[in-house]
Amino acid sequence: IMVKLGRRFKYSIIIPAFIVTLILVYKLKWDSSLQTAVYNEQEEIWKWYNYTEDNLNGPKVSMDDPRVIQKVKNFLIKPLDNKLKYSTDHSYRLSNPEVKDPSMGQAEKIRNILQNRRNGFFIEAGALDGETRSNTLYFEKYLNWTGLLIEPDPLNFIEIMKRNRRAWLSPTCLSINPYPDVVLFEQNRNMGKIAVKGAKVTGTTVNVQCFPFYSYLLALNITHVDYFSLDIEGLELDVLKTIPFKDINIETLSVEFAHVPGGKNAVSEYMFSQGYIIDSEVTHPDWLANDFIFTKM
């Protein structure tokens, strides 16, 4: 009897100790892999924000300079071709996959105008994380569109890469001038913006490469854009004024007007001068949307 009790006592100590050891080993491996993943994310993202001086920024550089176009290509990531592979089958990795249209109404307006057109091309500037209030995700998921997502904030850009969007990605910003430039960008989740001269900067900042809208199209060999979503916290009109509308065909646009210094009238008047009319407005009581929907006359 004493022998049996001794064996039971021995096993009662050995087995729990073995289990605890396995847990500790697994935890160490998990922590190590997690740290490696975080490091890989940071390394992959921050490489885009390490700039070297060159002569391809500033007023003397044309937006259609072949060297600029090549530089834009260096800042483009092909659809489903980023190094942060979060799923081997390229399936979406969305936080709320049950939400069919995460936009605040812009996507529905554009769908109605284009009559649920399939296989279109979009550009979304101010893409945030590629899902939250995205104006283009519906077109990509349900109408087989592709396009270009532009997001200058590195923290947001990491989130876009995780979601496996079927679109080109670029960790840059639209230039507010008709030439490329490196700007100081104020990070602030969904309210990040270019820190213009004289403006008070309160948050964290990062240097970001900006290119004119037209330069992206030349880099992608695109002349027709079915839908352009522009939401960059106040500098929308500046960007619109850099676009050579006579040389390209942008069929529909949604443009946020809430923070534009000249107000909504300045935006509507300029777009009218370029051959566009207001189809409708999209607003939200919590200021989650204050957009014009433009179509060609």
Side-chain angles (χ1 to χ4, degrees):
I1 294 174
M2 293 299 294
V3 172
K4 289 183 178 180
L5 289 174
R7 287 177 179 174
R8 288 179 182 176
F9 179 74
K10 180 174 68 174
Y11 289 134
S12 68
I13 295 176
I14 292 175
I15 292 174
F18 179 70
I19 293 173
V20 169
T21 301
L22 285 177
I23 292 173
L24 289 173
V25 169
Y26 179 79
K27 185 177 185 302
L28 286 172
K29 287 184 177 180
W30 171 262
D31 289 345
S32 176
S33 63
L34 184 61
Q35 289 174 359
T36 300
V38 170
Y39 174 78
N40 288 341
E41 277 188 0
Q42 293 175 345
E43 185 179 43
E44 175 67 16
I45 294 301
W46 285 105
K47 74 176 186 180
W48 299 101
Y49 299 88
N50 292 326
Y51 299 109
T52 55
E53 291 294 329
D54 60 34
N55 60 352
L56 294 178
N57 286 306
K60 295 183 179 180
V61 183
S62 172
M63 66 174 74
D64 60 357
D65 186 315
R67 297 171 301 165
V68 171
I69 306 313
Q70 182 56 52
K71 187 175 179 179
V72 174
K73 291 179 180 179
N74 295 338
F75 280 89
L76 290 173
I77 301 174
K78 293 180 182 179
L80 299 175
D81 192 33
N82 67 73
K83 292 183 179 180
L84 302 181
K85 300 295 186 183
Y86 288 92
S87 62
T88 56
D89 61 354
H90 298 313
S91 60
Y92 286 108
R93 291 178 59 87
L94 304 175
S95 298
N96 298 287
E98 74 283 356
V99 177
K100 197 170 184 179
D101 178 5
S103 78
M104 294 291 99
Q106 295 93 331
E108 181 181 5
K109 296 288 187 182
I110 300 299
R111 291 201 310 271
N112 291 337
I113 294 170
L114 299 179
Q115 300 180 336
N116 288 307
R117 178 181 300 168
R118 297 186 61 81
N119 305 314
F121 189 90
F122 60 75
I123 293 180
E124 185 167 12
L128 194 57
D129 61 12
E131 178 182 1
T132 304
R133 294 189 292 281
S134 172
N135 291 338
T136 60
L137 182 57
Y138 180 93
F139 297 98
E140 189 180 296
K141 285 185 67 178
Y142 300 104
L143 295 175
N144 200 41
W145 287 37
T146 188
L148 170 63
L149 300 174
I150 301 172
E151 175 53 51
D153 188 325
L155 298 180
N156 291 340
F157 195 74
I158 288 176
E159 297 304 314
I160 293 179
M161 294 182 76
K162 290 178 181 179
R163 281 163 170 75
N164 281 339
R165 291 286 303 264
R166 280 106 168 109
W168 293 84
L169 311 178
S170 187
T172 57
C173 55
L174 289 178
S175 180
I176 59 175
N177 298 297
Y179 51 81
D181 202 5
V182 173
V183 302
L184 193 66
F185 187 84
E186 185 175 357
Q187 297 175 261
N188 189 14
R189 180 55 180 157
N190 65 314
M191 297 181 68
K193 58 186 177 181
I194 293 174
V196 295
K197 290 182 179 179
K200 184 179 180 181
V201 177
T202 58
T204 304
T205 59
V206 61
N207 288 326
V208 177
Q209 175 69 56
C210 295
F211 296 106
F213 181 88
Y214 189 49
S215 300
Y216 292 97
L217 296 192
L218 292 175
L220 291 169
N221 195 27
I222 293 291
T223 57
H224 180 93
V225 177
D226 297 271
Y227 171 40
F228 175 30
S229 170
L230 181 60
D231 182 352
I232 56 172
E233 301 303 310
L235 295 174
E236 288 82 1
L237 184 55
D238 298 78
V239 166
L240 291 171
K241 288 182 177 180
T242 71
I243 299 175
F245 284 99
K246 66 181 186 302
D247 297 326
I248 55 178
N249 181 23
I250 305 175
E251 201 162 341
T252 62
L253 304 89
S254 61
V255 180
E256 187 186 44
F257 55 74
H259 308 292
V260 175
K264 59 193 298 186
N265 289 339
V267 176
S268 62
E269 289 171 6
Y270 180 76
M271 291 304 291
F272 183 80
S273 74
Q274 299 301 311
Y276 289 84
I277 58 173
I278 298 171
D279 172 84
S280 53
E281 290 186 28
V282 177
T283 59
H284 190 278
D286 293 330
W287 278 58
L288 296 178
N290 286 283
D291 293 25
F292 280 133
I293 304 296
F294 289 107
T295 61
K296 280 198 164 184
M297 292 181 185

